[in-house]
mmCIF file of all heavy atoms in Angstrom:
data_model
loop_
_atom_site.group_PDB
_atom_site.id
_atom_site.type_symbol
_atom_site.label_atom_id
_atom_site.label_comp_id
_atom_site.label_asym_id
_atom_site.label_seq_id
_atom_site.Cartn_x
_atom_site.Cartn_y
_atom_site.Cartn_z
ATOM 1 N N LYS D 390 7.148 7.496 61.580
ATOM 2 C CA LYS D 390 8.574 7.393 61.315
ATOM 3 C C LYS D 390 9.337 8.545 61.989
ATOM 4 O O LYS D 390 10.435 8.349 62.547
ATOM 5 C CB LYS D 390 8.843 7.399 59.798
ATOM 6 C CG LYS D 390 8.285 6.210 59.044
ATOM 7 C CD LYS D 390 9.058 4.945 59.321
ATOM 8 C CE LYS D 390 10.384 4.974 58.622
ATOM 9 N NZ LYS D 390 11.116 3.699 58.803
ATOM 10 N N GLY D 391 8.768 9.736 61.910
ATOM 11 C CA GLY D 391 9.442 10.884 62.530
ATOM 12 C C GLY D 391 9.502 10.754 64.034
ATOM 13 O O GLY D 391 10.522 11.085 64.661
ATOM 14 N N THR D 392 8.395 10.251 64.630
ATOM 15 C CA THR D 392 8.360 10.092 66.084
ATOM 16 C C THR D 392 9.407 9.082 66.544
ATOM 17 O O THR D 392 10.141 9.313 67.523
ATOM 18 C CB THR D 392 6.957 9.643 66.534
ATOM 19 O OG1 THR D 392 6.002 10.614 66.095
ATOM 20 C CG2 THR D 392 6.900 9.510 68.046
ATOM 21 N N THR D 393 9.500 7.942 65.824
ATOM 22 C CA THR D 393 10.483 6.923 66.207
ATOM 23 C C THR D 393 11.905 7.460 66.040
ATOM 24 O O THR D 393 12.801 7.131 66.830
ATOM 25 C CB THR D 393 10.301 5.653 65.371
ATOM 26 O OG1 THR D 393 10.357 6.005 63.981
ATOM 27 C CG2 THR D 393 8.975 4.987 65.670
ATOM 28 N N PHE D 394 12.121 8.294 65.014
ATOM 29 C CA PHE D 394 13.436 8.884 64.808
ATOM 30 C C PHE D 394 13.810 9.780 65.991
ATOM 31 O O PHE D 394 14.941 9.741 66.512
ATOM 32 C CB PHE D 394 13.461 9.698 63.505
ATOM 33 C CG PHE D 394 14.730 10.462 63.300
ATOM 34 C CD1 PHE D 394 15.899 9.830 62.879
ATOM 35 C CD2 PHE D 394 14.784 11.833 63.557
ATOM 36 C CE1 PHE D 394 17.062 10.552 62.697
ATOM 37 C CE2 PHE D 394 15.953 12.545 63.382
ATOM 38 C CZ PHE D 394 17.108 11.901 62.938
ATOM 39 N N LEU D 395 12.829 10.587 66.451
ATOM 40 C CA LEU D 395 13.103 11.491 67.577
ATOM 41 C C LEU D 395 13.287 10.720 68.870
ATOM 42 O O LEU D 395 14.129 11.062 69.715
ATOM 43 C CB LEU D 395 11.964 12.510 67.707
ATOM 44 C CG LEU D 395 11.843 13.503 66.553
ATOM 45 C CD1 LEU D 395 10.586 14.371 66.721
ATOM 46 C CD2 LEU D 395 13.075 14.412 66.484
ATOM 47 N N LEU D 396 12.484 9.641 69.031
ATOM 48 C CA LEU D 396 12.594 8.851 70.261
ATOM 49 C C LEU D 396 13.962 8.173 70.354
ATOM 50 O O LEU D 396 14.489 7.979 71.454
ATOM 51 C CB LEU D 396 11.479 7.808 70.319
ATOM 52 C CG LEU D 396 10.075 8.354 70.631
ATOM 53 C CD1 LEU D 396 9.040 7.244 70.511
ATOM 54 C CD2 LEU D 396 10.028 8.951 72.045
ATOM 55 N N GLN D 397 14.484 7.803 69.180
ATOM 56 C CA GLN D 397 15.791 7.141 69.199
ATOM 57 C C GLN D 397 16.896 8.071 69.676
ATOM 58 O O GLN D 397 17.975 7.614 70.076
ATOM 59 C CB GLN D 397 16.129 6.609 67.795
ATOM 60 C CG GLN D 397 15.313 5.385 67.421
ATOM 61 C CD GLN D 397 15.520 4.984 65.968
ATOM 62 O OE1 GLN D 397 16.102 5.739 65.208
ATOM 63 N NE2 GLN D 397 15.034 3.808 65.603
ATOM 64 N N LYS D 398 16.632 9.376 69.626
ATOM 65 C CA LYS D 398 17.618 10.338 70.108
ATOM 66 C C LYS D 398 17.585 10.472 71.638
ATOM 67 O O LYS D 398 18.504 11.048 72.234
ATOM 68 C CB LYS D 398 17.342 11.721 69.481
ATOM 69 C CG LYS D 398 17.388 11.742 67.954
ATOM 70 C CD LYS D 398 18.783 11.526 67.430
ATOM 71 C CE LYS D 398 18.830 11.640 65.926
ATOM 72 N NZ LYS D 398 20.199 11.444 65.409
ATOM 73 N N ILE D 637 12.992 17.401 63.841
ATOM 74 C CA ILE D 637 14.070 16.768 63.051
ATOM 75 C C ILE D 637 15.002 17.848 62.523
ATOM 76 O O ILE D 637 16.244 17.743 62.601
ATOM 77 C CB ILE D 637 13.479 15.940 61.900
ATOM 78 C CG1 ILE D 637 12.728 14.713 62.454
ATOM 79 C CG2 ILE D 637 14.577 15.483 60.933
ATOM 80 C CD1 ILE D 637 11.975 13.919 61.409
ATOM 81 N N PRO D 723 15.160 11.177 57.479
ATOM 82 C CA PRO D 723 15.858 12.330 58.091
ATOM 83 C C PRO D 723 17.220 12.606 57.468
ATOM 84 O O PRO D 723 17.582 13.765 57.263
ATOM 85 C CB PRO D 723 15.981 11.908 59.564
ATOM 86 C CG PRO D 723 14.856 10.955 59.784
ATOM 87 C CD PRO D 723 14.681 10.224 58.508
#
Side-chain angles (χ1 to χ4, degrees):
K390 295 287 286 184
T392 302
T393 54
F394 174 77
L395 293 174
L396 287 174
Q397 287 173 348
K398 301 291 184 180
I637 292 173

